[in-house]
Amino acid sequence: MDADILIIGSGAGGGTLARALADSGLRILILERGDFLPREWGNWEPDTVFREHRYHTNEQWRDGEGQPFSPVTGYHVGGNTKFYGAAVLRRREKDFAVRQHRDGPTRPWPIAYEDLAPHYDQAESWYFAHGLASADPTEPPRGPYPFPPIPHEAAVAEADEALRALGYHPFPLPLAIHRLEDDPTHSPCVRCPTCDGFPCLLHAKGDAEVCGVRPALTHDNVRLQTGARVRKLHCSADGRRIEAVETDKGIFRARVVVLAAGAVNSAALLLASSSEHFPTGLANRSDQVGRNYMCHLNSACMAIRPGRENRSVFQKTLALNDFYEDSGDPDYPFPLGHIQSLGKVTPGVLHAERPGLPIPATAWAASHSVDWWLTTEDLPDSNNRVTLDSDGTIRLHWQPRNRESHRRLCEKWRQMLHRVGFLAVFFQPMDISATAHQVGTCRFGEDPTDSVLDPYCKAHDLDNLYVVDASFMPSISAVNPSLTIMANALRVGAHLRRQCQDGRA
Ligand SMILES: Cc1cc2nc3c(=O)[nH]c(=O)nc-3n(C[C@H](O)[C@H](O)[C@H](O)COP(=O)(O)OP(=O)(O)OC[C@H]3O[C@@H](n4cnc5c(N)ncnc54)[C@H](O)[C@@H]3O)c2cc1C
Ligand code: SF4
């Protein structure tokens, strides 16, 4: 045995789990496909990140029609949290039950908010969460945040005030950055303009490398093997256990194997690990592996007040959940979603993303815009799924649900922005390549015939395989997924520790 617990992937799920188990004395081995993301000036250069895609994979996946596309994802220690906008929201209490949407119901979780609440507390503390408890009317019960909210700069403060004057309830966006607002001189975070979508050159973002893997590696019993892409999981002759993990760096064995390669790659790996016992994919007797892929309906929005320049540096500090529970319109009693400010769209970012536009126009637009991110809940649909083509290429079938609700959310926001003085409002919907919020491909549940994992995220079909990345979610909600992935990894970590100490794993 190379380890007691072998973790595949070091992102939000895997990195957090490694830290959760680090002081248990158990021998932990993390196998990570990528390497440490290089620390270099390009980390903060829009052209390097968004035009050259230096830190994104150059893999091509195919969509449902077989058209190739480049997924916006990367393989590094820390996973996609290296690029995340660090917005760390808890799911609402009602997100754990069935919610009725215009296009159908969500699926209930086998656990309730109270089961995750202590782990949310722990995750917020490890990941430097800043926020203001009770400011968001839809927020679940909670204590104070570890750190106070990140203050707004002038343009966002104005928007906050104007929205309040209209009777809405904006609140400070909870953020995972290591910022000491009362001691800026010694603050690791300098409030730079290149946070959302960029790696942090200063290692001040609360990502899974900084807050998960590195603290875990201070323990002698934890090892990390980079460049170890897992190719196949081999099960035992009786089909009950993972016996060997095949990687580019050789074969590894462990008592317990935890898959945390991200929702798309974890499903792809299980499908690629078919065998005599599991002809349609490992742990796939339910035929649910790869199905129910969800990714949010997301749109970026630029709102421009022609006479007013926006000099914000760090803009991502405000959020609004007034349409989270329902639209507020009597003829449309359905949730619309969540709105948060976006990292500042600078002239450099806009030019890198839209090189065809004339530079003076992009520079003017970006220096006058306040920028937003709108999110509507996607719904589980078994036809939205990850499959493998015969050449091993990932195929992602995705037709988002709830398009009408997202259209209404954007339209409402446009009208609200007009009322507070933004005359020009542009939306850019995200397409299939924007896989940032991928979840759902190995959902957990009580029933082994329609879920892949049990409520502790152990595969129903195997005794020693767990999955702790975003795959486990049976519904996505309309808030960003990372904090829930981290909290769930902590919950599963506590369970695994008990199982191993009692000799049951
Ligand atoms: C630009 C961007 C902005 C985002 N902003 C936010 C935000 O503000 N708030 C939020 O909550 N979420 C945000 N997200 C989403 C967030 O990053 C993900 O939800 C989260 O990282 C998913 O965690 P995970 O553990 O499922 O997977 P990941 O974090 O992606 O980790 C998976 C890990 O597995 C490794 N791996 C993959 N395949 C293999 C293999 N075969 N063998 C070995 N290792 C493998 C990968 O290299 C990676 O390290 C953002 C994402 C992006 C890209
Ligand atoms: S804002 Fe702070 S945490 Fe984000 S990239 Fe800049 S220095 Fe790092």
Side-chain angles (χ1 to χ4, degrees), residues 9 11-13 32-33 75-76 79-80 84-87 230 260-261 436 469-470 480-482:
E32 168 53 51
R33 167 182 181 160
Y75 301 125
H76 305 280
N80 278 291
Y84 82 157
V230 177
D469 55 33
N480 313 53
S482 292

Side-chain angles (χ1 to χ4, degrees), residues 230-233 259 263-276 278-293 384-389 392-397 441-442 452 465 467:
V230 177
R231 299 283 180 174
K232 187 163 181 169
L233 303 177
L259 190 48
V264 171
N265 275 291
S266 283
L269 182 56
L270 291 175
L271 294 173
S273 301
S274 58
S275 64
E276 193 191 329
F278 296 99
T280 62
L282 188 62
N284 195 22
R285 295 208 173 103
S286 62
D287 189 31
Q288 295 301 315
V289 170
R291 293 189 186 271
N292 306 299
Y293 172 82
N384 285 338
R385 61 187 297 205
V386 176
T387 57
L388 291 179
D389 283 352
T393 301
I394 289 173
R395 189 178 280 222
L396 190 56
H397 309 251
T441 53
C442 297
V452 179
L465 176 67
V467 182

Side-chain angles (χ1 to χ4, degrees), residues 297-340:
L297 292 88
N298 283 318
S299 291
C301 166
M302 287 179 76
I304 296 177
R305 268 196 293 192
R308 183 74 63 87
E309 236 181 291
N310 176 4
R311 292 176 180 273
S312 299
V313 176
F314 187 88
Q315 179 182 255
K316 197 175 176 72
T317 53
L318 189 70
L320 186 107
N321 271 337
D322 286 69
F323 312 113
Y324 199 93
E325 303 294 345
D326 66 65
S327 72
D329 300 330
D331 65 334
Y332 199 85
F334 302 111
L336 298 187
H338 164 80
I339 299 168
Q340 60 188 234

Side-chain angles (χ1 to χ4, degrees), residues 26 255 494-505:
L26 294 162
R255 279 161 67 190
H495 172 73
L496 268 173
R497 185 189 285 249
R498 285 192 301 271
Q499 293 288 102
C500 288
Q501 283 165 352
D502 296 353
R504 279 182 283 152

